[in-house]
Amino acid sequence: MHAALNGSPAKSCKGKAAMRVFTYTSAHARILFGAGRAADLADEVRLLGCRRALVVTTPEQRDLGESLVAVLGNLAAAYFDGATMHTPVEVTDRAMDKLRNSDVDCLIAAGGGSAVGLSKALAARTGLPQIAIPTTYAGSEVTPILGETQGGRKTTRRAPEILPRVVIYDVDLTLSLPASLSASSGLNAIAHAVEALYAKDRNPIASLIAEDGIRALGGSLLEIAKNPRDLDARAEAQYGAWLCGTCLGTVGMALHHKICHVLGGTFDLPHALTHSVVLPYVLAYNAHAASGAVAGVARALSSGPEPWQHLYQMLERLGLPTSLRALGMPADKLDVTADLVLQQAYWNPRPVERESLLRLLGAAYEGVPPSPDMSF
């Protein structure tokens, strides 16, 4: 039987059959996973049909960038190590000058979300193919989403050309990542998967991916904190980051990401730590409107019925800040933040009202442990 023209299941569909009506769009990327895989970089450039690569990284990852230039040999046309948090447009403009002057035909991002973000911004402007070599666990390397900041405002867009064509997960390159950065970038990835579980366009495939990503990161981050050179835990964290990023790349975002985009773009708060702090509060806020998602997070974390408490306790166990105050959020800007969140608001399973949003932001600012009786 055919579905109704308005997109709802045909009347003859009953029970579980009707529940299985969904749309799933797969993001296509070639994934290389395993220790030592960065050695394959030159071959991957050639497989793309390219000969002149621009390597993009941050000042902190300069050594990594230079080592990849050496791996590439004469395939390396240029190198730019000025990537920075929140992908400011003025930094992208400087990188574009380097790109134009070097006759580049592909992009290589080496490092965390800042390097990947800049590479995506360049790809969005040029259509050039990208190879991403992530060294953190944020997962943005497998999403077709670009967030850019200009004039204190962060905006996002989604397009196929923004997705890297190849991603190389080399666990050896993560061993130097400090435990604190490992923890915050991993919680950032978990936030992607949590929102995928209650996204407006969620579907069974993305939900399966999301739960397994949360499970993989929820356990491995604590192991990395105990022993930062645990290769098995590092590899499991990379696997989890890949899954969490993948599910974000296939469904939409909600209140959590909108809040973090405002806080990062407006106040330049650290990207991954902001996601880490905000996550427990938004999950608690949405708990009654997204009970299925809450159950999925609880299963993945083996946490009991209130996983927002487990996520808050993870911040403490991982030695991370537990409040927006600790991240440098201005005390007198909660009203401004609420107003900006409500402008062009993202869909959310629970309607977002200004007073309840202010209570959420206030609790996150103070770092009060989230609980069901907070009356967000």
Side-chain angles (χ1 to χ4, degrees):
M1 301 295 291
H2 296 290
L5 291 178
N6 65 5
S8 60
K11 290 182 179 180
S12 63
C13 293
K14 297 179 180 179
K16 291 183 178 180
M19 294 171 62
R20 286 297 183 183
V21 176
F22 64 90
T23 299
Y24 176 76
T25 302
S26 176
H28 300 287
R30 175 175 164 84
I31 307 296
L32 281 65
F33 196 101
R37 294 307 300 269
D40 297 328
L41 177 59
D43 288 340
E44 293 302 312
V45 170
R46 295 187 187 97
L47 281 174
L48 290 175
C50 298
R51 293 293 182 270
R52 297 185 60 80
L54 169 63
V55 177
V56 172
T57 189
T58 63
E60 295 79 12
Q61 294 278 7
R62 184 174 291 117
D63 289 346
L64 171 61
E66 291 175 349
S67 69
L68 294 176
V69 168
V71 168
L72 288 167
N74 61 10
L75 295 176
Y79 175 52
F80 183 86
D81 63 3
T84 191
M85 190 170 58
H86 305 305
T87 319
V89 170
E90 57 268 26
V91 173
T92 302
D93 289 342
R94 293 201 298 272
M96 280 294 298
D97 289 339
K98 172 78 75 169
L99 185 155
R100 293 189 190 99
N101 293 332
S102 304
D103 193 25
V104 167
D105 62 6
C106 68
L107 305 163
I108 297 171
S114 296
V116 173
L118 176 56
S119 178
K120 287 179 171 182
L122 296 173
R125 288 159 171 77
T126 64
L128 293 177
Q130 306 170 75
I131 298 174
I133 307 176
T135 59
T136 68
Y137 306 127
S140 63
E141 65 278 354
V142 285
T143 75
I145 301 166
L146 168 63
E148 296 184 282
T149 304
Q150 186 172 25
R153 297 291 177 90
K154 189 167 187 176
T155 59
T156 62
R157 53 177 158 152
R158 182 187 294 252
E161 64 271 15
I162 292 171
L163 179 71
R165 296 265 295 276
V166 180
V167 182
I168 301 176
Y169 289 104
D170 187 336
V171 68
D172 293 340
L173 300 182
T174 69
L175 289 175
S176 61
L177 183 67
S180 60
L181 290 178
S182 302
S184 61
S185 68
L187 283 167
N188 180 12
I190 287 175
H192 302 334
V194 168
E195 290 227 305
L197 288 171
Y198 57 64
K200 185 178 183 179
D201 53 352
R202 64 190 179 277
N203 60 74
I205 308 304
S207 295
L208 284 171
I209 295 170
E211 280 200 39
D212 203 35
I214 295 169
R215 177 205 57 77
L217 280 163
S220 60
L221 294 179
L222 296 172
E223 294 302 315
I224 291 169
K226 296 175 189 175
N227 177 12
R229 298 194 67 80
D230 185 333
L231 275 176
D232 289 336
R234 292 279 187 186
E236 184 74 352
Q238 279 195 315
Y239 170 74
W242 170 29
L243 295 182
C244 290
T246 297
C247 63
L248 177 67
T250 62
V251 297
M253 295 177 283
L255 177 61
H256 170 90
H257 279 82
K258 180 64 176 185
I259 290 174
C260 293
H261 291 161
V262 168
L263 293 173
T266 306
F267 307 112
D268 201 33
L269 298 191
H271 178 84
L273 284 172
T274 301
H275 279 270
S276 302
V277 168
V278 169
L279 174 60
Y281 297 96
V282 177
L283 183 59
Y285 180 92
N286 282 327
H288 295 301
S291 58
V294 169
V297 178
R299 280 193 301 270
L301 294 174
S302 301
S303 67
E306 298 178 352
W308 50 86
Q309 294 182 347
H310 183 92
L311 289 165
Y312 181 88
Q313 291 162 4
M314 279 187 70
L315 292 172
E316 297 178 314
R317 294 173 67 185
L318 293 168
L320 297 178
T322 58
S323 70
L324 294 176
R325 182 204 298 269
L327 301 186
M329 170 74 184
D332 60 346
K333 297 299 183 183
L334 296 181
D335 284 320
V336 172
T337 301
D339 290 339
L340 290 173
V341 170
L342 291 170
Q343 290 177 13
Q344 298 179 325
Y346 296 175
W347 180 91
N348 193 64
R350 172 183 167 182
V352 181
E353 299 173 348
R354 192 174 190 277
E355 291 307 312
S356 58
L357 176 59
L358 278 171
R359 289 193 291 272
L360 184 162
L361 292 169
Y365 177 80
E366 296 293 346
V368 179
S371 65
D373 59 359
M374 296 185 77
S375 301
F376 287 149

